């Protein structure tokens, strides 16, 4: 190895770095006062991260490899992260099991399969030739990479920095969770949802409390083994005031007690500031109750039920596409959520050449029916989109000359079984939920759970969503075993397709790496003579 | 239905099997510090392709409409019963392990087939139709340089699961996905089923022997 190190000054420096990184705790190495080494460490690790996550080598070109014997691969087709997970903790698909390569595991001896610890030389050999330190071949699924010495060292430095936990918010006794509730949520809804979360956490702790005490009680070595069980602690973080003040409130809560993950949550406003916070601190944010996820393209840390009102907007746009003839759309709305829905629809329709007119009104005032009617009268094919709540619909009965009217199931509170609006033209509801009357065994399970615990269901969707968030968190945390790593939570949930059957309210959920919305489509249902008609319900994936 | 009359893959140790093959050396002309130490024999052993098995099966293709990566509607039966040899697999774009490998293997098989590649129609059907919409498939196909003669299909969940079922490829969940490649000659009533991760050359050999001769 010394001979190899002498081969090039760059590799020598990176090799030294990799060895230093291998030898000490990554958290300590960041604090090293020798700034030259720290900078190199950061450089090496950043380059290694790019290789690991994006498959881009030090030259800026995609890494190249051969897999299953003779199949060439490019880093852009297939990255380390693809198989080993963002956490590096590995994954399994069918009968293929991908091992963990986080530094503390990779650079230590392993027993299953048995191999000595990797060092830089054997790591290079594994990457290039597919042999482990014992000389045994790796699975043909592991690509054999063409890498320079510097690239091997950079990747080693990155892997050495990957943790096997515990991440902030977890230790050998507790896992701290927090649920975010913003002040626009009614106290009644807040309490109804918190009752579900608190009950779940309390029961979880009751069932495992003896386990978490066990490890220092026994006298035999076996009984003193550290337990896998942790007490869950649930903090409630209330955010108040305008949403541009939320980040500082979140930071203050975080300083007080960083959570391992955010569990559920509730807001009537855009979830974006909370999503940014989770990305910034790399906190898993599991299934918040929001209709405005407002996620960004590369977000990793938040899992949502669906795209909410933006999905409804897309459903309406798809419906307009497949039933052409509309050139003018007039949208009516008041309040933040409806306004964001209207924005979403406008941004889809405008590039398609449909003129969109917005009619915003004060939420305290009544719906400007006359104004709406006169705008619609301009074009006989005009469509009205009513981003309004249930109680606003009744006064519209028979007043709108629109060629077509669309309403939002979310804003109508999914209350579609009673008589709905009748109009001259056809009326539709965008409905990204299970069909009314469709069997929902996950919801039935929740209802029984709540009933036996004396929890009244006043907000079926919000409360059953919170219950699902608990089930998902519990499932993922159990599967982490003793490796309490935040990124690993997300990697686990990416593969927890079996959880989908426990999802209430939303149809056809799927999970997967890079998928951050459980449910992806919905229906546009016609209202015939004031009644919802589900007979010809067509599933739309915008 | 499963007559399992086909042969099984060569059971000899992988190193023997590949002894005569020209395996591309991924290190050719690279990292000089390693070149002299490269233990080629061990290397070739480590490059072994995994085992796969081949059987002959008879399947009834369901009469369903799917959608291709360009958003066009495709009658699956018509597509599969055309006058071209077919190589078909099941993938999903957010799959973490075997799918990118299977997709690259299809691409490599096509390269190995050389001039004959144009005769074979490649079809990859997504088993995650809710996420793998045409635009997603198109991007994925581009990433693997799929191009002409290689169709990516998605569709209504119910239709896709009927297809999986009819090819005995439904594993309960996409996370329990098994690597399967199906081959069929034009007008042939039966399918050649390859279970396991075959290499590109293995697939090219099977295609040449079973579809092109």
């Amino acid at each position: 190895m010394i001979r190899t190190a002498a081969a090039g000054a760059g590799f020598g420096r990176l090799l030294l770095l990799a060895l230093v990184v291998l030898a000490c705790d990554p958290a300590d190495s960041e604090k090293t006062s020798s700034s030259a080494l720290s900078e190199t460490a950061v450089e090496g690790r950043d380059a290694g991260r790019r290789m690991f996550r994006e498959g881009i080598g030090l030259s800026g070109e995609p890494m190249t490899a051969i897999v299953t014997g003779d199949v060439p691969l490019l880093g852009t087709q297939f990255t380390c992260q693809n198989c080993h997970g963002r956490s590096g903790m590995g994954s399994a698909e069918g009968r293929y099991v991908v091992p963990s390569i986080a530094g503390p595991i990779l650079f230590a001896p392993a027993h299953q399969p048995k191999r000595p610890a990797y060092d830089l030389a054997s790591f290079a050999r594994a990457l290039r030739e597919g042999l482990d330190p014992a000389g045994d071949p790796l699975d043909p699924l592991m690509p054999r990479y063409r890498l320079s010495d510097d690239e091997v060292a950079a990747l080693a430095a990155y892997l050495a920095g990957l943790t096997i936990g515990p991440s902030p918010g977890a230790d050998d006794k507790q896992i701290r969770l927090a649920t975010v509730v913003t002040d626009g949520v009614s106290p009644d809804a807040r309490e109804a949802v918190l009752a579900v979360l608190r009950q779940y956490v309390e029961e979880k702790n009751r069932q495992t409390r003896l386990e978490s005490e066990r490890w220092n009680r026994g006298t035999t070595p076996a009984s003193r083994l550290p337990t896998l069980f942790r007490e869950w602690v649930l903090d409630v973080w209330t955010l108040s005031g305008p949403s541009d003040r939320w980040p500082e409130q979140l930071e203050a809560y975080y300083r007080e007690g960083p959570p391992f993950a955010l569990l559920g949550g509730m807001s009537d406003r855009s979830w974006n500031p909370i999503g940014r916070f989770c990305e910034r601190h790399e906190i898993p944010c599991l299934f918040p109750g929001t209709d405005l996820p407002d996620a960004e393209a590369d977000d990793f840390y938040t899992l949502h039920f669906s795209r909410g009102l933006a999905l409804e907007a897309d459903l309406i746009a798809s419906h307009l596409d497949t039933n052409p003839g509309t050139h003018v759309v007039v949208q009516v709305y008041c309040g933040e959520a409806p306004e964001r829905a209207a924005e979403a629809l406008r941004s889809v329709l405008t590039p398609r050449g449909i003129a969109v007119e917005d009619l915003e009104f004060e939420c305290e005032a009544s719906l400007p029916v006359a104004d709406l009617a006169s705008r619609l009268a301009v074009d006989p094919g005009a469509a009205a989109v009513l981003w309004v709540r249930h109680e606003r619909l009744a006064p519209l009965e028979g007043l709108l000359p629109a060629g077509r009217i669309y309403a939002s199931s979310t804003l109508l509170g999914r209350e579609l079984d009673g008589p709905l609006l009748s109009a001259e033209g056809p009326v539709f509801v965008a409905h990204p939920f299970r069909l009314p009357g469709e069997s929902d065994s996950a919801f039935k399970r929740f209802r029984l759970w709540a009933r036996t615990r004396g929890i009244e269901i006043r907000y079926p969707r919000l409360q059953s969503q919170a219950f699902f968030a608990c089930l998902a968190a519990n499932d993922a945390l159990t599967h982490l075993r003793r490796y309490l790593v935040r990124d690993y939570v997300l990697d686990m949930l990416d593969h927890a397709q079996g959880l989908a059957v426990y999802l209430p309210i939303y149809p056809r959920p799927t999970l997967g790496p890079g998928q951050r919305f459980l449910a992806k489509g919905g229906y546009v249902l016609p209202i015939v003579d004031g009644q919802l008609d589900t007979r010809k319900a067509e599933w739309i994936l915008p | 239905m499963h007559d399992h009359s086909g042969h099984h893959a060569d059971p000899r140790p992988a190193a023997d099997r590949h002894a005569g093959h020209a395996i591309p050396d991924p290190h050719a002309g690279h990292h000089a510090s390693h070149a002299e130490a490269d233990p080629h024999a061990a290397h070739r052993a480590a490059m072994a392709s995994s085992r796969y098995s081949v059987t002959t099966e008879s399947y009834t293709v369901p009469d369903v409409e799917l959608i291709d990566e360009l958003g066009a509607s495709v009658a699956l039966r018509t597509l599969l019963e055309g006058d071209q040899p077919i190589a078909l697999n099941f993938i999903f774009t957010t799959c973490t392990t075997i799918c990118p490998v299977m997709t690259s293997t299809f691409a490599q098989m096509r390269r190995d087939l050389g001039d004959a590649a144009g005769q074979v129609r490649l079809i990859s059907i997504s088993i995650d139709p809710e996420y793998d919409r045409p635009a997603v498939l198109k991007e994925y196909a581009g990433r693997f340089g799929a191009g002409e003669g290689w169709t990516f299909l998605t569709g209504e969940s119910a239709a896709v699961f009927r297809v999986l079922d009819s090819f005995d490829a439904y594993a309960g969940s996409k996370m329990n996905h098994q690597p399967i490649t199906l081959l069929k000659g034009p007008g042939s009533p039966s399918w050649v089923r390859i279970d396991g991760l075959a290499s590109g050359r293995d697939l090219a050999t099977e295609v040449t022997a079973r579809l092109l001769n």
Side-chain angles (χ1 to χ4, degrees):
Chain A
M1 212 162 16
I2 293 164
R3 186 175 55 83
T4 322
F11 184 51
R13 201 172 65 138
L14 277 166
L15 173 73
L16 177 65
L17 147 73
L19 292 178
V20 169
V21 174
L22 296 188
C24 62
D25 179 4
D28 291 341
S29 74
E30 271 168 21
K31 292 178 206 138
T32 309
S33 57
S34 159
S35 61
L37 185 61
S38 292
E39 270 170 37
T40 319
V42 171
E43 249 172 60
R45 225 181 269 165
D46 284 354
R49 180 172 55 210
R50 193 150 180 240
M51 294 170 67
F52 183 87
R53 291 191 184 168
E54 298 163 40
I56 304 293
L58 291 184
S59 65
E61 294 295 313
M63 292 154 67
T64 57
I66 301 283
V67 71
T68 55
D70 66 351
V71 177
L73 271 182
L74 283 178
T76 43
Q77 295 166 339
F78 194 54
T79 64
C80 311
Q81 176 176 316
N82 258 124
C83 273
H84 293 278
R86 170 110 139 197
S87 64
M89 291 301 291
S91 66
E93 187 183 315
R95 59 200 161 85
Y96 295 95
V97 177
V98 180
S100 166
I101 52 167
I105 291 175
L106 189 71
F107 301 114
H111 304 284
Q112 195 57 266
K114 200 166 170 52
R115 59 152 176 85
Y118 275 97
D119 59 17
L120 204 54
S122 56
F123 180 58
R125 188 170 70 153
L127 289 170
R128 291 168 175 154
E129 295 155 25
L131 296 171
D132 78 4
D136 291 326
L138 302 175
D139 193 281
L141 255 189
M142 169 68 196
R144 278 50 166 159
Y145 284 95
R146 179 186 276 197
L147 295 172
S148 72
D149 291 342
D150 283 348
E151 286 172 322
V152 171
L155 196 53
Y158 179 68
L159 296 185
L162 291 179
T163 172
I164 55 168
S167 297
D171 59 25
D172 58 357
K173 297 284 197 313
Q174 285 186 338
I175 292 177
R176 185 171 285 275
L177 303 166
T179 192
V180 173
V181 187
T182 65
D183 62 355
V185 175
S186 77
D188 192 46
R190 175 188 160 104
E191 282 318 306
V193 169
L194 289 182
V196 171
L197 296 176
R198 287 183 173 132
Q199 179 69 30
Y200 190 93
V201 169
E202 197 228 315
E203 275 181 41
K204 162 90 190 156
N205 289 337
R206 215 188 301 150
Q207 285 160 6
T208 56
R209 76 189 193 285
L210 294 179
E211 286 297 333
S212 49
E213 285 169 6
R214 194 173 71 113
W215 75 285
N216 58 2
R217 271 203 320 199
T219 52
T220 62
S223 67
R224 296 186 69 86
L225 283 173
T227 169
L228 295 183
F229 294 95
R230 300 287 184 280
E231 184 194 3
W232 285 18
V233 178
L234 179 67
D235 293 329
V236 178
W237 293 359
T238 305
L239 303 183
S240 52
S243 57
D244 58 1
R245 307 298 300 274
W246 293 354
E248 68 192 64
Q249 296 169 34
L250 288 164
E251 295 300 334
Y253 280 122
Y254 191 75
R255 280 193 299 274
E256 226 168 89
F260 183 71
L262 297 189
L263 180 66
M266 262 179 293
S267 180
D268 59 337
R269 321 253 288 274
S270 166
W271 194 261
N272 185 281
I274 306 159
R276 293 311 92 223
F277 167 78
C278 291
E279 296 298 316
R280 197 160 59 241
H281 288 285
E282 307 190 331
I283 307 169
C285 175
L286 307 181
F287 304 110
T290 174
D291 296 320
L292 298 171
D294 237 339
E296 294 182 13
D298 293 326
D299 280 2
F300 177 74
Y301 288 95
T302 304
L303 282 166
H304 288 284
F305 290 101
S306 83
R307 291 194 299 114
L309 286 166
L311 171 58
E312 286 193 358
D314 282 350
L315 290 173
I316 293 171
S318 289
H319 194 262
L320 285 167
D321 247 6
T322 44
N323 302 275
T326 297
H327 308 290
V328 178
V329 166
V330 184
Q331 311 193 83
V332 194
Y333 56 88
C334 81
E336 176 164 342
E339 185 181 351
R340 301 306 295 269
E343 265 171 35
L345 184 58
R346 190 187 320 124
S347 71
V348 189
L349 293 184
T350 310
R352 297 184 190 178
I354 294 181
V356 180
E357 283 186 50
D358 294 336
L359 186 51
E360 187 176 6
F361 65 102
E362 292 294 324
C363 288
E364 294 73 30
S366 55
L367 203 140
V369 184
D371 197 356
L372 175 61
S374 69
R375 292 194 198 206
L376 290 169
V378 174
D379 181 340
V385 180
L386 311 176
W387 296 112
V388 298
R389 299 185 194 284
H390 215 276
E391 60 276 13
R392 306 255 188 206
L393 280 190
L396 290 174
E397 196 73 38
L399 289 176
L400 295 183
R404 242 184 263 172
I405 297 172
Y406 292 98
S408 150
S409 184
T410 301
L411 295 176
L412 298 179
R414 295 186 302 121
E415 289 168 33
L416 308 178
D417 32 4
L420 287 153
L421 182 67
S422 295
E424 258 174 64
V427 183
F428 301 95
V429 179
H431 183 74
F433 306 108
R434 282 171 194 261
L435 291 171
E438 189 185 341
S439 143
D440 186 346
S441 57
F443 186 79
K444 280 185 200 144
R445 196 176 292 118
F446 166 67
R447 201 171 53 205
L448 288 170
W449 180 89
R451 189 203 290 165
T452 51
R453 276 125 184 112
I455 293 175
E456 194 193 334
I457 302 181
R458 298 192 300 275
Y459 299 87
R461 180 160 71 101
L462 286 173
Q463 286 173 290
S464 65
Q465 283 181 170
F467 184 64
F468 176 83
C470 291
L471 293 178
N474 188 35
D475 185 87
L477 290 176
T478 305
H479 281 100
L480 298 188
R481 292 134 25 240
R482 61 183 179 281
Y483 304 114
L484 296 172
V485 180
R486 285 171 172 173
D487 283 6
Y488 198 19
V489 174
L490 279 314
D491 288 342
M492 273 300 167
L493 287 171
D494 283 346
H495 292 85
Q497 184 56 29
L499 268 178
V501 294
Y502 296 99
L503 181 69
I505 311 286
Y506 297 88
R508 309 192 191 195
T510 69
L511 287 151
Q515 300 191 17
R516 287 296 174 259
F517 303 96
L518 274 175
K520 289 143 182 91
Y523 304 94
V524 175
L525 301 169
I527 294 169
V528 178
D529 300 330
Q531 300 291 328
L532 196 74
D533 181 5
T534 60
R535 283 169 303 176
K536 285 187 212 147
E538 212 176 289
W539 183 248
I540 303 173
L541 287 162
Chain B
M1 179 167 142
H2 302 222
D3 64 2
H4 293 272
S5 60
H7 81 272
H8 283 259
D10 191 339
R12 278 177 295 156
D16 297 347
R17 234 168 66 207
H18 282 277
H21 290 175
I23 294 167
D25 181 1
H27 313 309
H30 204 61
H31 66 89
S33 66
H34 251 268
E36 68 280 358
D38 200 352
H40 280 279
H43 178 197
R44 293 225 168 114
M47 295 288 286
S49 164
S50 53
R51 295 272 299 274
Y52 65 95
S53 69
V54 184
T55 54
T56 306
E57 311 282 349
S58 138
Y59 299 120
T60 307
V61 178
D63 189 11
V64 293
E65 293 272 327
L66 299 178
I67 312 166
D68 71 13
E69 78 277 12
L70 302 173
S73 186
V74 171
L76 186 66
R77 219 177 243 181
T78 315
L79 179 70
L80 296 185
E81 286 170 3
D83 53 5
Q84 255 187 310
I86 303 276
L88 183 156
N89 66 11
F90 299 98
I91 52 116
F92 62 104
T93 62
T94 60
C95 167
T96 51
T97 46
I98 62 175
C99 308
V101 173
M102 291 176 69
T103 308
S104 311
T105 306
F106 254 31
Q108 179 59 22
M109 168 187 81
R110 214 162 44 160
R111 282 190 289 270
D112 283 340
L113 285 172
D115 291 344
Q119 297 175 40
V120 184
R121 172 168 283 281
L122 274 53
I123 298 168
S124 294
I125 302 182
S126 169
I127 61 170
D128 188 10
E130 289 291 314
Y131 185 77
D132 289 340
R133 304 315 299 157
V136 176
L137 286 178
K138 187 162 179 258
E139 192 276 330
Y140 183 80
R143 222 188 308 155
F144 288 90
E148 275 293 285
W150 189 344
T151 306
F152 288 76
L153 296 174
T154 180
E156 260 283 309
S157 297
V160 169
F161 292 113
R162 267 184 77 193
V163 175
L164 279 168
D165 236 357
S166 65
F167 284 108
D168 193 21
Y170 182 65
S173 150
K174 65 181 179 173
M175 289 308 168
N176 194 29
H177 181 201
Q178 304 298 329
I180 298 165
T181 309
L182 297 161
L183 309 176
K184 189 179 82 72
S188 165
S190 60
W191 288 81
V192 175
R193 176 184 176 114
I194 299 173
D195 283 283
L197 280 172
S199 71
R201 181 169 301 276
D202 290 334
L203 279 190
T205 307
E206 297 292 344
V207 166
T208 308
R210 292 160 187 279
L211 302 187
L212 301 178
N213 291 334

